[in-house]
């Protein structure tokens, strides 16, 4: 491992009102770390991330494919090389999406959350995670049950902190209050946020700040739309071509026009579109960290270049705003 890893340009931001310091860029293991992926590449990417100051690795019980296999991969990496550095790492996992069959394999019941975390710890070769999330709001289970389970998980020592992901504003407000009263505050809100999806700006970002909660953005590149990947059509090896969460219908002529216009601004800034899209999220203190996905060390290296220029001129922000309307 690189002993100079904290002198490679990575900065760390305080997460709300807490002792958590997250790297401005975190590594997500949603894709490219599953059982279908080559372990040597996973190991190389994890090492490169840590060597460049990325101390936060973001997982969930269902990441893969197959579900659970990203945690198993990380468990192998933990056992093989990361174990001596456990106290430098900030590792998250989540539960709440479909994971196993039957009524307790999904959503936010006490049984699901505790069972899932026990499975996750076993897969990852860990005694505890640094933060455990309720992965989504469950409209059927009483919210008190979900939140009390998070409190108990911290008190049991299975997680140091807890967070929520993708909660609507009203449910988030209830969660912040409930958890604060029990002295296990919600310290991270994880939400989808990028140039093409600015919903958190309406309420979630400010709400988190007012409650002393950090905000961490996932899908900062809109699953690849905010890169140079689709400037000249749909590559055969792209997410759209392979099928999945990103659909061909999302790449409309209007979206492509916006991508090209944004790319021009990025070029004038001396950045790639991906670098500018990441820098744009980090331009102020409302975002604690952004979670990138990567399929190679080269891709990760390109993304890290975003940290070299996070400052925007007022004119640039206005032009970007006009493009995104």
């Amino acid at each position: 491992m690189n002993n100079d890893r904290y002198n490679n340009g990575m900065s760390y931001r305080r997460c709300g009102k807490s002792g958590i310091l997250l790297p401005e860029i975190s590594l997500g293991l949603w894709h490219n770390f599953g059982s279908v992926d080559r372990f040597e590449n996973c190991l190389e990417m994890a090492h490169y991330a840590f060597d460049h100051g990325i101390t936060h690795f973001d997982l969930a019980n269902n990441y893969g494919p197959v579900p659970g296999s990203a945690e198993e991969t990380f468990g192998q990496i933990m056992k093989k090389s990361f174990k001596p550095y456990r106290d430098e790492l900030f590792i998250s996992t989540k539960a709440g999406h479909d994971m196993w069959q039957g009524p307790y394999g999904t959503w936010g019941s006490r049984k699901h959350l505790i069972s899932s975390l026990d499975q996750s710890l076993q897969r990852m070769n860990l005694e505890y995670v640094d933060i455990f999330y309720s992965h989504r709001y469950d409209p059927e289970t009483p919210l008190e049950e979900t939140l009390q389970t998070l409190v108990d998980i911290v008190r049991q020592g299975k997680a140091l902190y807890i967070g929520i992901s993708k909660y609507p504003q009203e449910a988030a407000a209830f969660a912040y209050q409930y958890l604060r009263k029990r002295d296990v505050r919600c310290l991270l809100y994880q939400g989808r946020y990028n140039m093409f999806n600015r919903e958190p700006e309406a309420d979630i970002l400010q709400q988190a700040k007012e409650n002393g909660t950090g905000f961490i953005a996932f899908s900062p590149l809109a699953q690849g739309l905010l890169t140079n990947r689709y400037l000249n059509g749909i590559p055969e090896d792209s997410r759209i071509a392979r099928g999945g969460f990103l659909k061909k219908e999302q790449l409309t002529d209007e979206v492509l026009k916006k991508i090209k216009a944004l790319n021009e601004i990025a070029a004038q800034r001396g950045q790639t579109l991906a670098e500018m899209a990441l820098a744009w999220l980090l331009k102020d203190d409302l975002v604690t960290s952004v979670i990138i996905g990567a399929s190679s060390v080269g891709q990760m290296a390109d993304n890290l270049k975003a940290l070299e220029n996070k400052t925007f001129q007022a004119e640039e922000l206005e032009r970007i705003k006009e493009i995104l309307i």
Side-chain angles (χ1 to χ4, degrees):
M1 296 297 173
N2 179 13
N3 290 328
D4 206 33
R5 55 186 165 273
Y6 298 112
N7 297 307
N8 278 328
M10 180 62 71
S11 296
Y12 300 83
R13 297 189 178 190
R14 188 164 299 280
C15 186
K17 294 178 181 177
S18 77
I20 302 171
L21 290 167
L22 293 183
E24 291 182 323
I25 290 180
S26 302
L27 181 61
L29 279 69
W30 181 25
H31 296 295
N32 305 312
F33 283 83
S35 55
V36 300
D37 300 294
R38 192 168 59 89
F39 177 74
E40 289 74 18
N41 188 51
C42 300
L43 184 67
E44 188 180 4
M45 288 193 291
H47 284 186
Y48 186 89
F50 187 46
D51 281 346
H52 287 78
I54 294 179
T55 50
H56 179 213
F57 294 83
D58 180 76
L59 296 106
N61 59 352
N62 62 335
Y63 287 178
V66 296
S69 61
E71 289 183 329
E72 290 174 351
T73 297
F74 189 80
Q76 292 179 57
I77 296 170
M78 198 73 210
K79 195 172 182 180
K80 189 176 181 67
S81 53
F82 273 180
K83 190 174 181 179
Y85 307 96
R86 175 64 183 99
D87 293 336
E88 295 182 47
L89 301 174
F90 195 88
I91 301 163
S92 65
T93 195
K94 319 175 192 72
H97 281 287
D98 296 353
M99 185 58 193
W100 63 85
Q101 290 185 336
Y104 302 113
T106 187
W107 291 111
S109 71
R110 180 179 182 85
K111 182 168 176 63
H112 174 70
L113 296 179
I114 289 179
S115 297
S116 181
L117 179 54
D118 286 345
Q119 293 173 24
S120 293
L121 292 174
Q122 187 172 10
R123 283 191 290 264
M124 292 192 287
N125 290 310
L126 296 175
E127 294 180 357
Y128 68 93
V129 289
D130 295 280
I131 189 160
F132 180 68
Y133 291 91
S134 169
H135 205 169
R136 61 173 172 172
Y137 169 65
D138 181 347
E140 300 296 331
T141 299
L143 191 48
E144 293 90 341
E145 177 177 333
T146 299
L147 298 173
Q148 186 59 45
T149 303
L150 297 179
V151 170
D152 293 343
I153 280 169
V154 169
R155 291 178 178 164
Q156 290 165 6
K158 294 178 181 179
L160 301 185
Y161 306 99
I162 51 92
I164 56 177
S165 177
K166 306 191 298 279
Y167 271 47
Q169 184 186 13
E170 187 175 337
F174 182 88
Y176 292 143
Q177 183 181 32
Y178 184 98
L179 295 166
R180 187 187 306 113
K181 286 181 177 178
R182 286 151 184 83
D183 295 323
V184 180
R185 291 173 51 239
C186 177
L187 292 176
L188 260 179
Y189 184 107
Q190 186 170 134
R192 186 188 304 274
Y193 184 33
N194 56 60
M195 284 178 157
F196 286 161
N197 187 334
R198 301 175 66 179
E199 288 180 19
E201 293 176 356
D203 44 55
I204 292 297
L205 286 172
Q206 194 59 40
Q207 182 189 41
K209 184 176 182 178
E210 290 170 358
N211 283 277
T213 301
F215 180 94
I216 184 164
F218 73 87
S219 196
L221 303 179
Q223 296 190 66
L225 287 178
L226 289 165
T227 69
N228 61 8
R229 199 95 165 98
Y230 301 102
L231 286 173
N232 300 303
I234 300 176
E236 290 183 8
D237 62 343
S238 65
R239 285 190 183 182
I240 288 181
R242 292 198 307 265
F245 287 96
L246 188 61
K247 306 298 183 185
K248 188 175 182 180
E249 296 75 36
Q250 292 173 250
L251 188 61
T252 63
D253 290 341
E254 184 63 26
V255 168
L256 185 57
K257 183 180 177 181
K258 291 180 179 181
I259 292 171
K260 290 182 176 179
L262 291 169
N263 188 59
E264 287 181 13
I265 298 176
Q268 291 164 9
R269 288 171 50 84
Q271 293 181 311
T272 65
L273 176 54
E275 289 168 29
M276 185 180 77
L278 294 172
W280 182 83
L281 288 170
L282 292 166
K283 66 185 181 298
D284 54 45
D285 64 354
L286 288 174
V287 174
T288 310
S289 181
V290 297
I291 300 171
I292 62 166
S295 58
S296 68
V297 163
Q299 194 176 76
M300 197 182 307
D302 287 343
N303 287 342
L304 285 171
K305 289 178 184 175
L307 302 178
E308 296 173 8
N309 183 11
K310 296 172 291 184
T311 303
F312 287 80
Q313 301 299 320
E315 181 190 354
E316 290 175 325
L317 290 175
E318 188 59 34
R319 288 171 61 197
I320 290 171
K321 183 179 178 181
E322 290 175 1
I323 291 167
L324 298 176
I325 290 175

